[in-house]
Amino acid sequence: MDELHMNLSSGRNNTSPGGEGSPDSSVGTYPGQGLSEQFVVRSNYAFASFYALIFVIGLPGNILMFQILLQGQRKSGSGVLSRTTAPVIMNVVLSDLAFLLYCVPVMFVNTVWEDWQMGKAMCISHKGLFLWCVFVRFYSMLAVSVLRYAAVIHPTCSRSLSQQLMVGICFLIWSMSLIVSIPYWIYATAFNLKGFASCQVIMTKEQTALYSRLLGGVAFFPATLLIVMCYSSIIYALWCRKTLIVHSASSLRANRRATIMILATIVAFIIMWIPCWVLLFLSETMTFKPSPGVFLATNMTYFLAYTNCCANPIIYFALSDHFQAKLKKLFGCVCNNDMKKSRGPDKGEGFETVTSSLETENTS
């Protein structure tokens, strides 16, 4: 995915992201082939500013998220469901932090320089870590969706999950994501084309076609289908069924709020990444005519995908009273005791409620 953006960010290097390096096989363009040098330079500085903004917004937000989740894990009164769910949510935060600290600065520098000047080792690590982090985030969201399903539909079974098991699942998520990204680690390379340096994943058309099918048919679409099935059942149980599984109105409200918050993060991930995946697929099957519109639209799809690494903290802080209260506490804002007393069980959304929203079930 990311390699196509390398071509477009410079407006020069149009080596195929999955082919043998044919200069006309991707969307990228040389100055003079539909794009002026002045237009390319101005566009690159604009997109470099966008990447800097992603870093400035995303890094503090994800650091705060990590601190809040870590405090919840250390809290002696935390329920078993919160302790088992928190490591999976931390997975998302850690992958976003890795993405922000490495991939975003590399893309910023490459956009400013207009071609690749950071060497082969940096090219390989950037490509591999890019796809690794994306799938860690995706599989972590899948795990959270399954946990949400278990907590709502089968609450008794979900209580038997141990924290050690969840740590093992997190390790499995990182391992599976690494396996998915192996071709990027193997085939990524830096090279010169017509006087301009480029960082690309160079595979034959047959290898690219096979990898695309495996990526979509094995790594992506089955997991997406499972997420859809989980949330279809959850929404039906919480909003449509007359006989509810939960035992109290406060537990129902907590489940609904937690479900909406987690579902919002998944929807944001899909909306922000779908244009990038579609563009990658189209670039492998057809040739685009160079134009300013194509150049800007393509760069915007990748900017949108990169923006997802700072979306989760915004969603959590906007939709969770718990994260809002913890954020105030981190900055030295102490809540009024009367306000705490006035908040009922449905509004006293602790760490357990955010991550599992079934803490009331533990005491039923």
Side-chain angles (χ1 to χ4, degrees):
M1 292 177 294
D2 188 34
E3 66 276 1
L4 181 58
H5 181 275
M6 295 297 184
N7 298 337
L8 295 163
S9 64
S10 66
R12 298 170 177 175
N13 304 320
N14 47 348
T15 303
S16 169
E20 297 85 4
S22 143
D24 295 323
S25 56
S26 74
V27 188
T29 54
Y30 297 98
Q33 291 187 340
L35 296 177
S36 67
E37 179 73 21
Q38 186 179 27
F39 171 80
V40 171
V41 170
R42 288 181 177 178
S43 299
N44 284 341
Y45 279 113
F47 283 109
S49 301
F50 292 156
Y51 288 119
L53 184 63
I54 291 174
F55 183 86
V56 170
I57 295 176
L59 187 61
N62 279 282
I63 290 176
L64 290 172
M65 277 279 295
F66 181 79
Q67 290 178 336
I68 291 172
L69 289 168
L70 195 61
Q71 287 179 0
Q73 284 292 89
R74 292 174 177 174
K75 186 179 177 181
S76 59
S78 296
V80 62
L81 290 174
S82 68
R83 294 196 304 270
T84 56
T85 310
V88 185
I89 300 178
M90 283 186 182
N91 254 10
V92 180
V93 177
L94 289 174
S95 65
D96 284 343
L97 284 172
F99 196 89
L100 281 161
L101 291 172
Y102 192 80
C103 296
V104 173
V106 168
M107 185 57 69
F108 170 83
V109 172
N110 181 72
T111 304
V112 172
W113 284 349
E114 299 185 7
D115 62 354
W116 189 264
Q117 301 181 27
M118 290 173 277
K120 183 177 180 179
M122 186 76 78
C123 173
I124 294 173
S125 60
H126 172 61
K127 296 292 187 184
L129 187 63
F130 173 88
L131 196 61
W132 193 6
C133 288
V134 170
F135 271 90
V136 166
R137 196 182 314 159
F138 177 61
Y139 285 140
S140 296
M141 290 180 180
L142 170 63
V144 171
S145 300
V146 174
L147 288 172
R148 201 86 286 286
Y149 173 84
V152 173
I153 309 299
H154 304 288
T156 304
C157 297
S158 66
R159 295 179 199 140
S160 63
L161 298 175
S162 65
Q163 188 177 17
Q164 290 73 21
L165 175 62
M166 297 312 304
V167 171
I169 290 176
C170 291
F171 177 78
L172 180 63
I173 288 172
W174 284 91
S175 301
M176 290 175 58
S177 302
L178 178 61
I179 292 173
V180 171
S181 67
I182 283 177
Y184 272 41
W185 292 96
I186 295 176
Y187 293 105
T189 187
F191 63 96
N192 290 317
L193 177 67
K194 296 187 178 182
F196 297 102
S198 181
C199 173
Q200 304 288 336
V201 177
I202 303 299
M203 292 187 285
T204 65
K205 291 182 179 180
E206 292 75 15
Q207 290 173 329
T208 302
L210 176 61
Y211 182 56
S212 298
R213 293 190 189 101
L214 291 175
L215 201 64
V218 178
F220 185 75
F221 289 112
T224 303
L225 180 61
L226 182 56
I227 291 175
V228 172
M229 292 173 60
C230 286
Y231 278 99
S232 297
S233 299
I234 292 170
I235 292 172
Y236 175 74
L238 294 179
W239 278 274
C240 301
R241 287 184 64 177
K242 294 181 179 180
T243 304
L244 298 173
I245 296 174
V246 291
H247 300 301
S248 64
S250 62
S251 180
L252 173 61
R253 285 191 291 269
N255 270 282
R256 286 177 173 176
R257 294 176 66 183
T259 298
I260 291 172
M261 183 175 61
I262 297 172
L263 186 58
T265 63
I266 296 174
V267 171
F269 178 86
I270 294 174
I271 291 176
M272 290 179 171
W273 276 100
I274 282 294
C276 183
W277 285 99
V278 171
L279 179 64
L280 176 65
F281 174 77
L282 292 177
S283 69
E284 294 172 353
T285 57
M286 59 188 299
T287 301
F288 293 86
K289 183 179 179 180
S291 69
V294 171
F295 180 85
L296 292 175
T298 307
N299 276 277
M300 284 302 300
T301 62
Y302 283 90
F303 167 70
L304 182 65
Y306 272 67
T307 304
N308 183 249
C309 64
C310 59
N312 287 341
I314 296 175
I315 293 172
Y316 275 82
F317 289 134
L319 298 181
S320 170
D321 289 343
H322 165 74
F323 280 108
Q324 293 171 8
K326 288 293 184 180
L327 186 62
K328 292 178 181 179
K329 186 176 181 180
L330 285 175
F331 285 99
C333 299
V334 180
C335 298
N336 190 288
N337 290 332
D338 295 335
M339 183 180 296
K340 290 183 180 179
K341 292 179 180 179
S342 66
R343 294 172 65 182
D346 58 319
K347 293 185 178 181
E349 187 181 23
F351 178 78
E352 306 86 83
T353 305
V354 172
T355 55
S356 69
S357 73
L358 278 178
E359 195 59 27
T360 54
E361 291 294 299
N362 293 336
T363 57
S364 298

